[in-house]
Amino acid sequence: LKDSRDENKTKKSAFVNVQDIIPSATFDIRYYTSNNFVGKPIDAYKAPKCILHKDAVEALKQVNEELKKVFKRLKVFDCYRPQTAVSHFMRWVDDIKDTSTKAEYYPNLPKPLLKGEYIAEKSGHSRGYTVDLTIEYQTRDGQFKELDMGSPFDLFDEKSNTMSSLVTPKQTQNRLLLKSLMLKHGFSDYSMEWWHFTHTSDPRTTYWDFPVE
Ligand SMILES: C[C@@H](N)C(=O)N[C@H](C)C(=O)O
Ligand SMILES: [Zn+2]
């Protein structure tokens, strides 16, 4: 008899490669690299891929289509996140002696306080309908640059709360542009992190553990 835990390690057919479906967005899958709050590539990210449930991807495509009309595009940092990767995050949080990334990623919080509100022990990302992302705009010379959101992706700080008073009105406006477009296409936001959105079609049932590959 096949163990249900083994089944959970197999990619579900409803999951798709977002880069194939939204090729005009850009993808910087940070947990595949060392450029993240752990400072090392994260377990189970075997390729720099963005995988999501197809229902969330269709909505995301619509957001990107709207942005294209005004010379902007989505920049995606993380999508489906295997439970194995979440376990890696938890090992890192519990290792209180390792503070090598503190200055860059959590300058004002003690490491144990990251668990929960900033880094979930059971993350919506593992269900496959959640995405971390920002917006890029095209400059006159055709290059793309990130909109100024007032804090970088994965800065675990009050400054990253969407309506934080620690950022400028223009930075709040940029966050609200992202939020309004995402909500228009069926996502819900997360008030603690301006970059984190979950599509409302998420049945909130299974936390998957197949690798990103
Ligand atoms: C770690 C960060 N990018 C994130 O996604 N945080 C939320 C709370 C999560 O872990 O689900
Ligand atoms: Zn997230």
Side-chain angles (χ1 to χ4, degrees), residues 31 81 117-120 123 125 132 153-154 156 190 193 195-196:
Y31 303 143
R81 181 186 303 163
E117 287 186 326
Y118 288 105
I119 309 172
S123 173
H125 284 275
D132 290 339
F153 165 64
D154 272 358
F156 304 127
Y190 180 50
E193 296 175 337
W195 55 80
H196 178 104

Side-chain angles (χ1 to χ4, degrees), residues 14-25:
F15 281 74
V16 292
N17 184 345
V18 183
Q19 282 109 320
D20 291 341
I21 297 167
I22 322 180
S24 55

Side-chain angles (χ1 to χ4, degrees), residues 54-69 74 129 131 133 177-189 197-202:
K54 61 180 172 43
D55 293 347
V57 180
E58 240 350 278
L60 202 59
K61 189 177 169 70
Q62 298 310 315
V63 175
N64 196 57
E65 288 302 315
E66 287 213 34
L67 287 171
K68 272 163 70 177
K69 289 181 200 153
L74 289 173
Y129 293 75
V131 60
L133 77 182
L177 170 66
L178 176 63
K179 177 176 163 177
S180 63
L181 277 172
M182 293 296 280
L183 265 55
K184 180 176 172 188
H185 292 283
F187 288 86
S188 60
D189 68 318
F197 296 88
T198 299
H199 197 258
T200 46
S201 63
D202 180 0

